Amino acid sequence: MRLLIVEDEKRLAISLARGLTAEGFAVDVVHDGLEGLHRASDGAYDLVVLDIMLPGMNGYRVCAALRAAGHEVPILMLTAKDGEYDEAEGLDTGADDYLTKPFSYVVLVARVRALLRRRGGSPAPVVTVGSLRMDTAARRVHLGEAEIALTTKEFAVLEQLALRAGQVVSKAEILEHVWDFAYDGDPNIVEVYVSALRRKLGAAAIRTVRGAGYRLEAL
């Protein structure tokens, strides 16, 4: 899933982005409220982590503008301000949750995952394709009765294929959802992870559709 962090403390933003990327999310970061509003308005994100004290436009106004425009993306407000009135103002403008700095990174990840689970229309926690079962909440994969150990990126690539099982998923789509917009490395990295998945799941699990992408077959 793709997250947007709107935070002007650059060291904190980069630290959060690295941590959430390691958790399997694709993360983009901006440091300005106006840019955050522009990026979030594109509708490409599953959740926004939004600071309140931002240059250009504060988080309250960004949140209110998104809600006024009909965007229902979950918003986790992140701020150094505290007190019940600050929290009430954040929630009244349309935020879904509120976390005060300094905060526990473990708590932030738990809040992010909880918001994503509660999001309307989000995929079921368990995805089944033939004898393959993916528990997206516990991040565990079983093939029949055997549990398959996957790295974070392997899991994320397989999840994109499983959510559209039987359909062709392009390399660009996998890069967009598993990595992020800022990734400028070799796009053939996708082939590396697909090859690793084939070794673990069986060569017939993922079909290459020449010139189009990959398709996950029922096993």
Side-chain angles (χ1 to χ4, degrees):
M1 289 190 171
R2 180 174 298 282
L3 310 183
L4 175 66
I5 297 175
V6 189
E7 168 62 69
D8 65 333
E9 293 183 39
K10 294 186 178 181
R11 290 181 62 185
L12 174 60
I14 292 171
S15 177
L16 289 178
R18 287 175 177 168
L20 290 166
T21 298
E23 296 286 338
F25 297 105
V27 183
D28 293 324
V29 176
V30 296
H31 307 293
D32 176 271
L34 287 170
E35 177 65 14
L37 176 60
H38 173 72
R39 295 289 288 273
S41 296
D42 288 343
Y45 296 98
D46 298 290
L47 183 140
V48 176
V49 178
L50 177 65
D51 189 27
I52 288 180
M53 304 303 290
L54 293 166
M57 176 183 285
N58 69 41
Y60 294 135
R61 293 175 60 198
V62 172
C63 183
L66 287 170
R67 297 306 187 225
H71 296 289
E72 298 181 355
V73 60
I75 296 174
L76 172 61
M77 277 197 163
L78 192 66
T79 178
K81 300 181 71 175
D82 59 9
E84 61 183 16
Y85 293 108
D86 297 321
E87 181 174 354
E89 185 173 357
L91 297 174
D92 284 346
T93 57
D96 298 277
D97 203 352
Y98 187 102
L99 196 58
T100 303
K101 304 173 188 174
F103 56 85
S104 161
Y105 175 73
V106 173
V107 171
L108 176 110
V109 173
R111 297 281 187 91
V112 166
R113 293 197 184 281
L115 288 173
L116 290 172
R117 286 196 299 271
R118 295 197 326 240
R119 184 185 185 190
S122 59
V126 178
V127 180
T128 301
V129 183
S131 59
L132 177 73
R133 299 191 316 280
M134 295 190 71
D135 186 329
T136 58
R139 304 187 70 77
R140 300 177 69 179
V141 176
H142 286 81
L143 186 58
E145 297 300 318
E147 183 167 359
I148 309 298
L150 300 180
T151 68
T152 299
K153 278 290 191 287
E154 287 170 353
F155 186 95
V157 171
L158 181 60
E159 183 178 20
Q160 289 304 308
L161 295 170
L163 290 173
R164 295 172 57 186
Q167 302 178 35
V168 176
V169 183
S170 72
K171 186 184 297 183
E173 289 172 316
I174 294 173
L175 277 172
E176 179 181 333
H177 287 87
V178 176
W179 282 265
D180 55 43
F181 288 122
Y183 180 76
D184 58 359
D186 187 349
N188 290 326
I189 188 67
V190 175
E191 296 177 11
V192 174
Y193 283 93
V194 168
S195 295
L197 287 170
R198 284 172 171 153
R199 287 195 298 271
K200 294 182 177 183
L201 301 176
I206 302 173
R207 300 287 185 184
T208 298
V209 180
R210 189 174 298 276
Y214 304 98
R215 182 177 62 238
L216 180 66
E217 306 282 0
L219 298 172

